[in-house]
Amino acid sequence: MSYKHESRCHRGFNLRVWLNDEKNLTNNTCLCPPSFYGDVCQYQNQRVSMTIQFRALADSWSTLFAIVISLIDDSEERIVHSYEQLNYLSSRDCKIKFNIYLLYSTRPKNSTRNYTIHIDIYEKVSLKYRGSFFYRILFPFLPVYRQALILDIPRNDENIQICSNLQCSHGQCIAYSNVLDDDSFCQCDQGWSGKYCQIFHQNMCSSDSKHAGVTANNRSVCVCPIDKFGSRCLLVNEVCQMNNNLTCYNGGQCIPSDKYTLSSQSFHCVCRKGYTGDRCERNDTKIEFSFAEGIALSQSIFIHFIRIISNATPIRTTTLRTIPLKQDSITIYWSQQFHLVFVELLNKIYYLAVIQKSYSATTTKVRKINPVDRCQHINELFNETFVDMHIVRRMKYYHLPCQIYPSNRSCFYDNTQICLCYTFEQQRLANCFEFNHNMTFDCSGQSVCENDGQCFQDTPDCPKRAICICPLCYYGGTVSISYEWIWFIT
């Protein structure tokens, strides 16, 4: 590769091709990226540029998905002009934004056609179909159409909507998951294609894969099982069969990496409950909480885990647990890093349960929570005039509670922050961080709780666990069963 004439190829790479070694004959050519073409990459391809982020509910935290993103037209053949296929795992990719280019099969594109973006979602292990999404190209006159999406993967128990407004010859009519009108499509049986599944097509995918469409050059779009790869799913990926299938320890599931995986490793391990680590080699941290007499326990408690990061906002993860009647202790197994743990009872009563300067994995922590560990609200520490001050003026006095009660004051809080008392150069000072006291109970708008039950998930963006908080006289996983005079929280 020559860098002498790098500007010659604009956005591409300048390559020197050897035509004859004996005569030392060479020729310079340009290797263009998909977005450009021409002798020196001087022309811009018509294309769809997508930035897409996926979100999955807690029931799909460890489910690997195969996602096929296609650019199709409205012809009778329903041609797939181009497509990209990626694997998505919420525990690994929940905050990743995927950048994708979709090119038209002709240059220039056929301006008489209407083009759409079609997205299919399958479970990678079982190849179970989860749903499809549909987005129109709203401004077809643009040479480059840009689309930014946040897509919620359908729930595991969500029924596929079968429709009847299309006459599918060899398939079934499926309603799109993201549209409220009659937009639907024909999901064709193996060996058939077209807008109404009316065209016979020689399926070139392997027998254990899924056929998801036909491209403009009459090639099959194949969705491979987890241990296969290639355009026709004929190649075997053996990375998870290394070391006698012990790539992941303690029963963890091995997942091969693909080109979109932002990792140097060739595989990723999804650990069973109770284990953590890159290869599931460590046990989760065990925390045993007990409560002293005099602490009025509620049946449900929030446990807030705080991870401190230098020069960054602390990361908070919350879980909701229940304590049976006549029991004053609870055991938690936790896989994520943490430095602080707060236990919250009803009516925003906080206790500082654990504080550690450095995180130590695979340990057992036994902690008895006493009344002195309670974090008081500033209303209990200052008068009304002080509390009504602006937060900027008020905070400069936040060291006073730590200095007035130096021996037994561990923490306090206001409406937006929690403060810890600590000793620095023989002085008691306060260290505060932002804390949202008002959590929402709708599971990002996808609550499945019935009978006015409240849905709670441990984090707003990457949930691992979601449960229903049942109203009086109801219980059950989705709060569908009534029971007289008893309040259950599941």
Side-chain angles (χ1 to χ4, degrees):
M1 183 181 297
S2 172
Y3 295 94
K4 183 177 180 180
H5 306 289
E6 187 175 6
S7 60
R8 169 180 173 271
C9 291
H10 297 90
R11 295 177 183 252
F13 289 104
N14 185 37
L15 298 179
R16 176 175 293 179
V17 181
W18 294 88
L19 303 177
N20 190 308
D21 291 341
E22 296 179 357
K23 297 181 180 180
N24 198 25
L25 294 179
T26 63
N27 182 33
N28 287 336
T29 187
C30 291
L31 181 63
C32 302
S35 308
F36 295 86
Y37 70 99
D39 294 339
V40 290
C41 308
Q42 72 272 35
Y43 303 119
Q44 187 171 205
N45 256 326
Q46 292 177 312
R47 65 190 185 276
V48 175
S49 176
M50 296 187 66
T51 298
I52 184 168
Q53 183 175 3
F54 300 95
R55 296 188 303 191
L57 292 179
D59 65 346
S60 301
W61 169 255
S62 58
T63 302
L64 181 66
F65 293 100
I67 301 176
V68 183
I69 306 171
S70 307
L71 176 63
I72 62 175
D73 62 24
D74 61 350
S75 64
E76 293 294 316
E77 294 80 11
R78 200 171 184 266
I79 294 174
V80 177
H81 287 250
S82 61
Y83 72 96
E84 286 288 340
Q85 186 174 164
L86 57 91
N87 294 332
Y88 176 80
L89 181 66
S90 182
S91 61
R92 180 191 64 192
D93 308 320
C94 73
K95 293 186 178 181
I96 301 298
K97 296 178 181 179
F98 297 92
N99 297 307
I100 295 170
Y101 288 132
L102 298 174
L103 304 180
Y104 298 92
S105 61
T106 59
R107 188 186 296 140
K109 65 182 179 183
N110 188 344
S111 59
T112 64
R113 297 290 187 192
N114 293 319
Y115 298 91
T116 56
I117 301 168
H118 177 91
I119 302 176
D120 289 322
I121 300 179
Y122 299 86
E123 294 182 12
K124 186 71 172 178
V125 176
S126 63
L127 295 183
K128 173 186 174 183
Y129 173 70
R130 275 288 187 100
S132 295
F133 293 80
F134 168 81
Y135 299 95
R136 290 185 174 88
I137 305 296
L138 299 179
F139 306 106
F141 58 87
L142 293 175
V144 180
Y145 182 78
R146 304 187 188 278
Q147 179 86 59
L149 299 173
I150 297 179
L151 191 148
D152 292 315
I153 295 176
R155 297 190 303 269
N156 184 35
D157 57 353
E158 187 170 328
N159 294 325
I160 304 299
Q161 297 297 319
I162 307 298
C163 52
S164 58
N165 56 319
L166 292 179
Q167 299 299 320
C168 305
S169 301
H170 299 277
Q172 60 179 346
C173 179
I174 301 292
Y176 283 106
S177 300
N178 64 317
V179 290
L180 300 178
D181 51 18
D182 293 332
D183 281 326
S184 56
F185 71 101
C186 287
Q187 189 179 61
C188 300
D189 298 333
Q190 301 286 343
W192 295 91
S193 66
K195 188 174 183 179
Y196 303 104
C197 305
Q198 77 281 12
I199 302 173
F200 176 77
H201 171 72
Q202 184 65 42
N203 182 14
M204 294 179 285
C205 304
S206 65
S207 59
D208 56 351
S209 62
K210 282 282 188 180
H211 180 263
V214 179
T215 64
N217 57 0
N218 204 33
R219 300 293 297 271
S220 298
V221 178
C222 306
V223 181
C224 303
I226 191 170
D227 60 340
K228 296 285 189 68
F229 70 100
S231 60
R232 298 172 59 188
C233 306
L234 298 177
L235 303 176
V236 178
N237 194 331
E238 298 180 348
V239 65
C240 291
Q241 279 71 48
M242 297 186 304
N243 302 323
N244 296 322
N245 293 336
L246 292 178
T247 307
C248 301
Y249 301 129
N250 297 308
Q253 182 185 13
C254 177
I255 294 176
S257 299
D258 64 0
K259 65 179 182 179
Y260 287 100
T261 304
L262 300 178
S263 174
S264 58
Q265 294 184 342
S266 58
F267 63 91
H268 177 83
C269 291
V270 178
C271 302
R272 294 170 53 204
K273 186 177 181 180
Y275 298 96
T276 187
D278 292 338
R279 301 182 66 178
C280 309
E281 71 276 11
R282 299 194 307 268
N283 294 321
D284 288 347
T285 301
K286 180 181 179 181
I287 309 174
E288 298 178 359
F289 292 130
S290 61
F291 296 86
E293 294 184 8
I295 297 179
L297 293 177
S298 53
Q299 279 188 291
S300 62
I301 62 173
F302 291 106
I303 304 176
H304 307 286
F305 293 85
I306 310 295
R307 180 184 176 188
I308 306 299
I309 302 176
S310 299
N311 302 320
T313 303
I315 298 176
R316 163 186 165 184
T317 306
T318 299
T319 184
L320 177 65
R321 299 300 171 91
T322 60
I323 299 181
L325 295 174
K326 298 182 180 180
Q327 183 172 318
D328 60 358
S329 62
I330 187 173
T331 301
I332 302 293
Y333 292 90
W334 199 251
S335 61
Q336 303 176 54
Q337 294 188 29
F338 65 91
H339 299 94
L340 303 171
V341 179
F342 291 92
V343 173
E344 178 186 353
L345 307 183
L346 292 181
N347 300 321
K348 295 182 173 59
I349 300 176
Y350 297 96
Y351 290 87
L352 178 59
V354 175
I355 181 169
Q356 56 182 4
K357 291 185 178 180
S358 58
Y359 170 73
S360 56
T362 319
T363 60
T364 299
K365 299 182 182 298
V366 180
R367 181 75 167 86
K368 184 174 183 179
I369 299 175
N370 297 293
V372 72
D373 298 318
R374 185 171 74 88
C375 305
Q376 291 181 288
H377 192 272
I378 59 171
N379 290 340
E380 304 175 60
L381 303 174
F382 299 99
N383 58 36
E384 185 176 350
T385 302
F386 179 85
V387 172
D388 291 338
M389 287 183 181
H390 190 275
I391 181 66
V392 176
R393 295 185 58 194
R394 192 175 65 213
M395 281 194 65
K396 64 181 180 180
Y397 298 103
Y398 273 13
H399 297 304
L400 293 179
C402 301
Q403 296 169 355
I404 296 174
Y405 308 98
S407 59
N408 58 3
R409 176 72 57 224
S410 59
C411 56
F412 61 94
Y413 69 100
D414 60 16
N415 294 334
T416 60
Q417 300 180 95
I418 285 184
C419 301
L420 300 177
C421 293
Y422 71 104
T423 302
F424 178 75
E425 294 183 354
Q426 299 182 348
Q427 277 190 314
R428 293 283 287 173
L429 303 175
N431 190 0
C432 304
F433 60 92
E434 291 186 2
F435 189 91
N436 181 15
H437 300 279
N438 301 310
M439 293 177 292
T440 58
F441 294 88
D442 64 347
C443 288
S444 301
Q446 299 191 58
S447 173
V448 295
C449 301
E450 303 175 14
N451 300 306
D452 296 325
Q454 293 181 308
C455 185
F456 172 78
Q457 58 189 25
D458 52 3
T459 59
D461 48 4
C462 298
K464 289 185 177 180
R465 190 170 185 261
I467 57 177
C468 291
I469 303 176
C470 304
L472 191 65
C473 303
Y474 290 92
Y475 72 99
T478 57
V479 198
S480 58
I481 307 170
S482 63
Y483 195 89
E484 188 175 3
W485 304 116
I486 295 181
W487 182 17
F488 285 89
I489 300 179
T490 61

